[in-house]
Amino acid sequence: MRKHKADKIIALLVIILMLASLVIVYAIGGRVAIANNAANGKNFSETYFFTHHIAIITASIVAMLIGYKISYKFLAKIAKKLFWFSVILCLMVTIFGRLNAPFVTCDLGACRAFWVPIVNAGFQPVELLKICAALYGAYLIRSRKKEGQLESKEFWVPYATIFAVTAVIIGGFHKDLGSTVVISMILASMALVGGVPAKRLFMAGGVLLAAVAVLILVAPHRLARITGWEGDGDSYHLNSSIITFGTGGLTGLGLGNSIQASGYLPESLTDSIFSIIGETWGFIGTTIIIIIFATLLARILRVSERTEDEEQSLFAVSVFAWIISHVIINVGGMLGIIPMKGITLPFLSYGGTGMLFAAFAVGIVIQISGWTKRKEINEDSSSRRGQRRSRYSNSSRRS
């Protein structure tokens, strides 16, 4: 299998989403800054969020290029070390957060990020953990499958450890159920595609659901979200989101005319940006965004299907699961289809670490796409060569 041109349309779709994000942040960033200054005593300039977002997008495009250039084989070799390094970073956030260290940021009792003064931004190690879990999980399935050990403890002990570590550290200490579900979906998708026996998957799924139920029951704020979704509790965020979509109508209010971004809709730049898109560009705008995501996901899945290297194929599946989990949880929550969960929309939500590592992961998928099978092209080429031979032989006989 020879190297050929990579699927650059994947990169184009990601950049289109990033540019759409930049336009929205430009349109509402000033209003969000004014609302934050009034409510929380901050001193943001009206251009703060826009200029910061430009830096984030630039860094993310560079990260995508690095993912495209760095050898997958090299990443696979150090996958286990990378995973445990990311776990240590997640633990350090918890430990130093409880010690009130100035370089850790905490919000509502949850400590999830290191503060990096040089770039004036936070670094969330859970985003690094997502890609490391995907790399390590793909390596485990491929290597144990090759040795016929997918039903043995040689596979299940380390693979279950990834689940357990995620549930305890991210779901428990970080109080981040959304990321716990996303990582679980990444691992479950790879196991399903990788040929792990169905009965084992059902057992693992039962344990996972029980763990999620426990994490919900022990956290009052998670129960409040469920009751709010059912209409029995605090449903302010959900109601504000629905109002935002309704205000936008079919074509939206237009750039610079957002009402809900002025302090009415919580997290309007991050978790709720899809609602703001609905208000600004209307139903047509949100439909276009969903179509772009669907196209991006379809092309990532096609890379997985056409890749002969099983480990790389599984990694592409993990990126598909990663992105679609975020989209379903975010969009579903904003529309009230499922209970709300604080989770970003890939390549659209304002932020840093999440966009950076998602772009890096997509860059790796683009690299993999340059080594896929090209059945259609080969078949077309063979057909054309056959037609040329047929014409040549016919002309020879006539002469």
Side-chain angles (χ1 to χ4, degrees):
M1 185 169 59
R2 294 183 300 173
K3 192 176 190 304
H4 56 78
K5 288 183 179 180
D7 189 348
K8 294 178 182 177
I9 293 178
I10 292 176
L12 177 62
L13 292 168
V14 168
I15 291 172
I16 289 172
L17 290 171
M18 289 178 175
L19 292 177
S21 171
L22 191 63
V23 171
I24 291 295
V25 171
Y26 173 77
I28 70 169
R31 296 182 179 218
V32 173
I34 292 170
N36 261 288
N37 294 343
N40 304 313
K42 302 290 185 179
N43 191 31
F44 293 124
S45 68
E46 291 191 22
T47 59
Y48 171 82
F49 293 108
F50 177 66
T51 54
H52 189 246
H53 203 49
I54 290 176
I56 292 166
I57 288 174
T58 303
S60 297
I61 292 173
V62 171
M64 187 160 54
L65 286 170
I66 293 172
Y68 172 65
K69 291 291 185 181
I70 194 168
S71 169
Y72 185 89
K73 290 182 179 179
F74 170 74
L75 292 172
K77 282 183 181 179
I78 61 172
K80 184 176 180 179
K81 293 178 181 178
L82 284 174
F83 172 73
W84 287 111
F85 173 71
S86 63
V87 169
I88 291 169
L89 286 180
C90 290
L91 280 172
M92 287 175 64
V93 166
T94 299
I95 293 168
F96 286 113
R98 293 187 176 181
L99 294 174
N100 296 318
F103 53 85
V104 172
T105 59
C106 301
D107 185 30
L108 300 175
C111 302
R112 299 175 182 173
F114 293 107
W115 183 254
V116 186
I118 298 174
V119 295
N120 195 32
F123 172 79
Q124 290 184 297
V126 67
E127 301 299 336
L128 174 62
L129 180 62
K130 288 175 186 175
I131 191 168
C132 292
L135 287 166
Y136 186 34
Y139 162 77
L140 280 172
I141 293 173
R142 193 268 307 164
S143 60
R144 300 303 186 265
K145 185 176 182 178
K146 187 177 179 181
E147 297 164 2
Q149 297 177 334
L150 282 184
E151 292 195 66
S152 68
K153 64 179 182 181
E154 281 74 14
F155 167 71
W156 277 104
V157 169
Y159 208 72
T161 299
I162 304 176
F163 276 105
V165 165
T166 299
V168 173
I169 299 178
I170 307 304
F173 297 157
H174 286 204
K175 301 179 182 178
D176 186 355
L177 184 59
S179 291
T180 304
V181 171
V182 169
I183 295 174
S184 299
M185 288 302 297
I186 288 171
L187 295 170
S189 298
M190 288 193 295
L192 180 65
V193 174
V196 174
K199 64 177 182 179
R200 300 282 185 181
L201 284 176
F202 281 123
M203 290 172 60
V207 173
L208 175 62
L209 288 174
V212 169
V214 170
L215 289 171
I216 291 172
L217 292 172
V218 299
H221 70 284
R222 291 172 186 152
L223 281 173
R225 280 177 178 162
I226 293 175
T227 56
W229 173 64
E230 293 174 338
D232 296 328
D234 183 7
S235 55
Y236 174 79
H237 194 166
L238 175 59
N239 291 338
S240 298
S241 178
I242 299 299
I243 290 170
T244 307
F245 281 113
T247 304
L250 181 64
T251 58
L253 300 179
L255 291 175
N257 297 321
S258 173
I259 299 169
Q260 297 297 318
S262 300
Y264 299 106
L265 179 65
E267 310 297 340
S268 55
L269 282 174
T270 52
D271 302 348
S272 304
I273 198 164
F274 188 70
S275 302
I276 294 295
I277 290 171
E279 182 187 34
T280 304
W281 290 331
F283 176 77
I284 292 174
T286 55
T287 301
I288 291 171
I289 292 296
I290 293 299
I291 290 171
I292 293 172
F293 270 119
T295 307
L296 172 64
L297 289 163
R299 296 193 81 91
I300 291 173
L301 200 58
R302 188 173 71 168
V303 171
S304 172
E305 291 172 346
R306 295 184 179 180
T307 302
E308 290 185 343
D309 185 300
E310 186 171 20
E311 186 171 347
Q312 293 181 12
S313 175
L314 289 170
F315 179 80
V317 167
S318 77
V319 177
F320 172 86
W322 179 351
I323 295 174
I324 199 171
S325 296
H326 270 265
V327 172
I328 290 172
I329 294 171
N330 182 282
V331 173
M334 290 300 110
L335 291 172
I337 299 171
I338 60 175
M340 274 196 174
K341 184 68 199 78
I343 201 166
T344 56
L345 197 56
F347 312 118
L348 279 173
S349 292
Y350 173 88
T353 321
M355 184 180 288
L356 198 70
F357 283 109
F360 180 71
V362 167
I364 297 173
V365 173
I366 296 171
Q367 174 197 154
I368 294 169
S369 73
W371 295 92
T372 53
K373 294 176 288 187
R374 307 187 78 187
K375 289 182 179 178
E376 291 84 354
I377 293 175
N378 292 337
E379 288 168 1
D380 290 345
S381 298
S382 299
S383 176
R384 285 194 294 268
R385 284 196 297 270
Q387 290 171 4
R388 285 197 296 269
R389 284 195 299 268
S390 177
R391 286 196 296 268
Y392 176 76
S393 60
N394 290 336
S395 63
S396 297
R397 285 195 294 269
R398 284 196 298 271
S399 63

